[in-house]
Amino acid sequence: MTHPTDIPRDPSRAALPVHLRTALWLAGIGLPVLPLRASKLPVGNCTACTSSKSAGPCQCGDRPHMKFAGPCQCPAPCHGWAAATTDPAILTSPAWARSWHQAGGVAYHPGGAHLTVVDLDNPDAIAWARQAIPATKVVPTTRGEHWIYRGAMQSANNVRPGIDIKSHMAYAVWRGPGNGPITALPDLVRELVVREESTRPLRAEVDSSSPARATWDRSVATGCRHTDTFVQTGLTRGLARVAACRKQGAGSTAYGVARFLANQHTGCPGPCGLETLGRQVIDAAVAVGVPEGYAERAVTRGGLPVAAVRAS
């Protein structure tokens, strides 16, 4: 495999920044890419989003901290993994030029290429992987190894000590092509995320909480114009984002998820069962320690009504 720095360039054209050359090569083989700062963090938000806060929308839907799922629509690279693209016209556009000149590296969105990266951060994690999961392409990193599998899944951090899963709604630092063939994503890796979610201790139920979780179905959404799959997919991804905020940020994430879900139904004649969606988002936030009143305020401010499904 030819590396982009080995490709002769036309001497009559100005040299491209080295990280942009790498990004164009990766995009050409199907990996959505974005520039990184030297700190391995994505570049700052574009000017249309820099001052955007949770109380006000920005150009592409108020996602300065990736509170909403979906691709970034801003002309400049922002919003982390959502800005990743394989379009060379975007990568070489004037809006991205400054970021490439300042870039300290390149990242890619594994889920966008239907890949999953098992990020092994220490020798113990590597030793576990060698014993427990099938061999696949291995990329050395500064602290450990990336094991890359064919197939996408939900991302999650700390599924085992020193192990993160990077796929949907995540980015991975490009460390090189690695060694070995890519093999299919094994069920055991998928089960790591399910196990981590199912074994997480839940906060004790409070008096005002619903005695059982309300679930969305067509019986409460007779006027919704969306398919069940569309609604359930957006809800599942949103709940996963809230559940991932175990230490901080669950309240603001619940607001962002509620706003995203509410915006999906602005064109529906209704009813769409938005109260039930709201309750599920609240329950997810409460489960990771957000006070119920705070979670309710965040969700209602995001646009989902919740009072209709409160317990009597």
Side-chain angles (χ1 to χ4, degrees):
M1 182 179 290
T2 303
H3 191 272
T5 55
D6 298 328
I7 300 174
R9 69 177 182 87
D10 184 347
S12 65
R13 300 180 62 183
L16 296 175
V18 62
H19 293 307
L20 175 55
R21 295 187 71 191
T22 299
L24 289 170
W25 176 68
L26 293 173
I29 62 174
L31 291 180
V33 288
L34 68 150
L36 292 180
R37 292 181 285 177
S39 61
K40 299 194 302 184
L41 294 175
V43 297
N45 294 325
C46 68
T47 54
C49 301
T50 300
S51 61
S52 177
K53 304 299 181 183
S54 60
C58 73
Q59 178 172 318
C60 63
D62 192 23
R63 296 187 292 111
H65 304 295
M66 280 315 302
K67 296 176 182 177
F68 292 86
C72 176
Q73 300 298 328
C74 294
C78 64
H79 303 148
W81 65 269
T85 181
T86 59
D87 187 341
I90 295 176
L91 294 171
T92 59
S93 67
W96 285 53
R98 180 179 179 184
S99 295
W100 287 121
H101 283 288
Q102 297 177 340
V106 180
Y108 65 100
H109 175 211
H114 202 60
L115 298 174
T116 293
V117 176
V118 180
D119 185 3
L120 308 168
D121 273 347
N122 56 53
D124 289 341
I126 295 172
W128 174 87
R130 289 174 178 171
Q131 293 181 349
I133 57 178
T136 188
K137 179 179 286 293
V138 175
V139 179
T141 68
T142 54
R143 294 186 298 178
E145 294 176 349
H146 284 173
W147 286 33
I148 304 176
Y149 289 98
R150 183 176 62 256
M153 61 176 288
Q154 176 185 334
S155 300
N157 293 327
N158 300 315
V159 295
R160 285 183 59 88
I163 300 178
D164 298 333
I165 306 295
K166 301 178 184 295
S167 187
H168 287 310
M169 302 177 75
Y171 68 88
V173 180
W174 171 254
R175 298 292 188 184
N179 299 295
I182 296 179
T183 59
L185 180 64
D187 289 340
L188 180 56
V189 173
R190 297 183 187 275
E191 291 168 4
L192 288 174
V193 174
V194 174
R195 187 181 308 145
E196 191 268 344
E197 291 291 332
S198 64
T199 58
R200 180 184 300 147
L202 298 181
R203 176 179 174 270
E205 188 173 57
V206 296
D207 292 341
S208 61
S209 296
S210 303
R213 286 183 181 242
T215 56
W216 187 94
D217 59 39
R218 185 57 56 182
S219 66
V220 297
T222 56
C224 182
R225 65 182 179 85
H226 300 295
T227 65
D228 291 16
T229 299
F230 178 89
V231 176
Q232 292 289 1
T233 298
L235 175 63
T236 299
R237 291 177 178 175
L239 296 180
R241 287 190 61 77
V242 176
C245 300
R246 290 175 290 175
K247 294 183 179 179
Q248 61 181 359
S252 59
T253 300
Y255 164 87
V257 170
R259 183 166 181 172
F260 172 71
L261 294 175
N263 286 343
Q264 287 185 327
H265 297 270
T266 55
C268 296
C272 293
L274 298 186
E275 297 88 351
T276 304
L277 295 178
R279 175 49 56 183
Q280 289 187 255
V281 176
I282 290 170
D283 286 345
V286 169
V288 292
V290 177
E292 186 170 15
Y294 183 93
E296 287 187 346
R297 289 192 296 273
V299 169
T300 54
R301 287 171 181 169
L304 291 180
V306 298
V309 295
R310 288 295 303 273
S312 58

